[in-house]
Amino acid sequence: MHMEPNHEEKRNASLNRALLILSCVLLSIGTCGGPLIMRLYFIHGGNRVWLSSWLETGGWPIIFVPIALAYYHRRTTEGPSTKLFLMKLPLFIASAVIGLITGLDDYLYAYGVARLPVSTSALIIAAQLAFTALFAFLLVKQKFTSYSTNAVVLLTIGAAVLGLNTSADRPKGESDKEYIAGFLMTVAAAALYGFVLPLVELTYKKAKQTITYALVLEVQLVMCLFATIFCTVGMLINNDFKVIPREARNFELGEGTYYVVLVLSAIVWQTFFLGAIGIIFCASSLLSGIVIAVLLPITEILAVIFYHEKFQAEKGVALALSLWGFVSYFYGEIKYSKQRENEKKKEKEIEIEKKDTPETADVSQLDP
């Protein structure tokens, strides 16, 4: 009698694990590939910040593919009356608001990448974990441990170390003022996205409907749509659409390559967002922030290899602090998860004991 629920639980746990792994792979592609492709655009003659920010979410129509697949799967089990979209109005409004915030974050990040080497911006973005942890604590009551606190402090110090010598890796032809502006914009982008991740998790918790992965995809679609609308307005004000053909002709790698870079950028950034929301759905916003932070040193190394960026002592110290922070956090999480598993086992054992123990009659209620 008790086998079916257990079998169903195991099946759901396996699906959740598979989805979590897929989300981690997608996030890895986006976190490492997105900044590199964006920087490629700026290095070889591109200079439209609003266009770059638009590309971060402009690939939103791609999400229709998994939504259609999810709909087809539901239709085979629920019949012809199945709705294509599951989202209700309150969740739509919340997703739209988060989308507009994401659009602003896209601009801040694109501005930073336009001014800073990828190896530098990647290390600054590592501080996002500190902001994610803080906002996760405030918004979704994420518990802090001594290990997670240590990780947050180390990552924050790592970002601060980078600010000590801002002129050492400044790109040629860029003033100190432009470099510092890029630095501050990147810090602001890290803080804002650190706010967005827990906000998405809070939206899931407050939504007055069952959160499924199909619904998560719809949330992502609406978020990216409104972020793209925000950036489209910026592009129109800045006349970016008129400039694109001329910029393509003058692109150092060729006109055809210019458009390939734009399309590829939109696709790769979409894997980033799909991966991030997938991890939030399967686990938590803090884990999503952790995975992003863990991948940043890889992004930094790739930037040094492909773009021959300088690797000064400050970057080495910041990287060491970041890695120390990651190890500290993961060790704490492993220890905490084992503790939770043991607590759950004890709770189940107590429940089983209660069920197996026969209820004794209250002697005081019996007649003599």
Side-chain angles (χ1 to χ4, degrees), residues 37-38 40-42 44-52 55 235 239-266:
I37 296 171
M38 185 182 282
L40 182 71
Y41 163 80
F42 287 115
H44 294 287
N47 59 10
R48 316 307 293 183
V49 174
W50 276 113
L51 171 60
S52 295
L55 291 170
M235 286 182 71
N239 291 321
D240 279 15
F241 288 106
K242 292 179 181 178
V243 177
I244 288 172
R246 186 176 76 238
E247 191 173 74
R249 287 192 298 271
N250 297 330
F251 196 62
E252 292 174 7
L253 300 178
E255 189 173 351
T257 307
Y258 176 86
Y259 290 110
V260 170
V261 168
L262 297 191
V263 172
L264 199 58
S265 183

Side-chain angles (χ1 to χ4, degrees), residues 123 161-162 300 311-322:
L123 281 169
V161 167
L162 280 177
E300 181 184 358
F311 193 84
Q312 300 95 338
E314 289 84 0
K315 289 184 182 179
V317 172
L319 180 58
L321 289 169
S322 297

Side-chain angles (χ1 to χ4, degrees), residues 203-218:
T203 302
Y204 291 167
K205 289 186 175 183
K206 296 291 184 181
K208 294 177 180 178
Q209 57 183 121
T210 306
I211 300 295
T212 62
Y213 190 64
L215 185 58
V216 166
L217 289 170
E218 291 177 28

Side-chain angles (χ1 to χ4, degrees), residues 10-21:
K10 285 180 181 178
R11 182 173 169 274
N12 289 339
S14 298
L15 285 172
N16 193 70
R17 198 176 298 113
L19 187 57
L20 182 60
I21 292 167

Side-chain angles (χ1 to χ4, degrees), residues 60-204:
W60 62 267
I62 295 168
I63 306 172
F64 277 118
V65 175
I67 285 177
L69 292 172
Y71 168 72
Y72 177 76
H73 175 71
R74 292 200 311 276
R75 190 179 169 87
T76 55
T77 54
E78 297 173 15
S81 60
T82 306
K83 290 181 179 179
L84 177 59
F85 294 105
L86 303 168
M87 187 181 287
K88 293 177 182 176
L89 185 60
L91 188 55
F92 175 85
I93 293 169
S95 302
V97 171
I98 297 172
L100 293 173
I101 297 170
T102 303
L104 174 60
D105 185 67
D106 289 345
Y107 176 79
L108 294 172
Y109 180 75
Y111 189 96
V113 173
R115 300 286 182 269
L116 305 177
V118 175
S119 54
T120 303
S121 61
L123 281 169
I124 297 169
I125 290 294
Q128 176 187 299
L129 177 59
F131 293 110
T132 303
L134 174 64
F135 289 118
F137 172 73
L138 296 173
L139 297 177
V140 293
K141 310 303 179 190
Q142 178 79 40
K143 288 182 179 179
F144 266 85
T145 65
S146 57
Y147 299 101
S148 60
T149 304
N150 185 48
V152 168
V153 171
L154 288 168
L155 287 163
T156 306
I157 294 171
V161 167
L162 280 177
L164 297 176
N165 191 6
T166 55
S167 61
D169 65 343
R170 189 177 72 243
K172 289 179 181 179
E174 190 172 289
S175 65
D176 283 341
K177 189 178 179 181
E178 287 175 325
Y179 184 91
I180 292 167
F183 191 96
L184 294 174
M185 285 286 207
T186 309
V187 172
L192 193 55
Y193 201 67
F195 173 67
V196 166
L197 290 174
L199 192 60
V200 171
E201 186 177 353
L202 181 66
T203 302
Y204 291 167

